[in-house]
Amino acid sequence: MTSPYVGSGRTAGLKPGGGIPPGETPPAEGSTTSGISYPEPELRRGWALMPLTLIMLVVVLIAVGLIAMAVALMV
């Protein structure tokens, strides 16, 4: 379906050749906004005691296993 206003000269801002003169269209998006819109939460907590304990336990078990394998290979 075609618009009854196309080519009839009733469309605002059109030149006779069909172009649009400068200033008829809105400007491009501005880039004056910067930064964040709200403050981000501050991370205050470090590692908790339980995860550090579990990591140390795993490291000790691996070290004991490697030492036991080394001793078993020497015998």
Side-chain angles (χ1 to χ4, degrees):
M1 183 172 169
T2 60
S3 172
Y5 299 112
V6 175
S8 65
R10 301 178 87 188
T11 306
L14 285 180
K15 289 183 180 179
I20 300 174
E24 284 292 322
T25 57
E29 179 181 336
S31 62
T32 58
T33 58
S34 63
I36 58 174
S37 59
Y38 57 91
E40 297 200 13
E42 190 174 317
L43 298 176
R44 295 183 184 185
R45 292 184 52 187
W47 284 81
L49 186 59
M50 186 57 89
L52 285 177
T53 305
L54 290 175
I55 291 171
M56 293 303 292
L57 180 65
V58 169
V59 168
V60 168
L61 289 175
I62 290 174
V64 167
L66 289 174
I67 292 171
M69 281 181 27
V71 169
L73 288 176
M74 288 184 187
V75 175

